[in-house]
Amino acid sequence: MTDSDASLDPLLDPAAMRKQYRAAGLDEKDLATHPMDHFAGWFEDAARAALHGTLYEPNAMVVSTADATGRPSSRTVLMKQFDSEGFVFYTNYDSRKGRDLAENPYVSLLFPWHPIARQVIVTGTARRTSREETTAYFRTRPHGSRLGAWASAQSTVIASRTDLDTAYADLEARYPEGEEIPVPPHWGGFRITPRTIEFWQGRENRLHDRLRYAAEGDGTWTVERLSP
């Protein structure tokens, strides 16, 4: 579509798209002492919005990595655990993000909760979860998801969808429902230890509230307000 084509229909023109955020503000006095406690409250709000059909997959987050040469890449994954130590997701270690994090542990996470005019932006470092932790989570996954972890050589080029479906069908025949499926050696978790966590609240006239926690060397956190 050309510029002239887009200008004919404001519905399709990104420059004409406007959304006023009329949510209540975010004030420093309302923050928890520890950012993960504040995240827990916001995550509950997002989960309740999802329950009412307002928001889709509140645990979906954009994970941005960079390889050893600094070339970035981003993708959406599902966060599967959070606690005072940070955030956990699972993946194929041979995937692009897995290879990136093996070379460069610095990572950024983004929770895009647009329907409630909120975002959470995290920067930190990644380390692999233990095999015990990985195994415990793997065994909670649906049978089909466990087969999928074996069937997909994530991020590699494949000839066709048929190849993927055939690999899955072969595994399904080998491990029928109820059969124990071993954890793939190339599959596991990453725990993201945050260094900064920004809570972004949409406000009117693009004057958004942005409050960022920053980790100090003694284990405490400071809070900074960022200009929108």
Side-chain angles (χ1 to χ4, degrees), residues 178-189:
E179 188 80 14
E180 184 65 40
I181 303 171
V183 183
H186 55 270
W187 189 93

Side-chain angles (χ1 to χ4, degrees), residues 124-145:
T125 54
R127 70 178 189 276
R128 291 187 180 189
T129 58
S130 69
R131 291 312 289 174
E132 291 77 15
E133 188 174 357
T134 291
T135 299
Y137 169 70
F138 187 79
R139 289 175 177 165
T140 70
R141 286 163 63 91
H143 183 78
S145 296

Side-chain angles (χ1 to χ4, degrees), residues 45 61 74 86 97 108 110 125 128 130 140 151 165 185 188 193 226:
D45 292 342
M61 61 184 184
S74 299
K97 59 184 170 297
S108 178
L110 169 64
T125 54
R128 291 187 180 189
S130 69
T140 70
D165 291 341
T193 301
L226 305 180

Side-chain angles (χ1 to χ4, degrees), residues 50-129:
L51 182 64
H52 293 102
T54 306
L55 190 152
Y56 186 68
E57 290 194 310
N59 62 325
M61 61 184 184
V62 178
V63 176
S64 297
T65 60
D67 64 17
T69 65
R71 291 178 297 180
S73 60
S74 299
R75 74 290 292 159
T76 301
V77 305
L78 297 178
M79 182 266 294
K80 288 299 180 180
Q81 180 187 345
F82 70 90
D83 54 30
S84 61
E85 301 300 315
F87 306 85
V88 176
F89 70 90
Y90 292 87
T91 189
N92 186 316
Y93 286 141
D94 295 329
S95 65
R96 178 168 180 175
K97 59 184 170 297
R99 296 194 307 271
D100 281 358
L101 293 173
E103 298 175 341
N104 178 355
Y106 294 102
V107 62
S108 178
L109 312 177
L110 169 64
F111 292 87
W113 296 329
H114 303 311
I116 57 174
R118 286 178 174 177
Q119 300 181 77
V120 179
I121 303 112
V122 180
T123 65
T125 54
R127 70 178 189 276
R128 291 187 180 189
T129 58

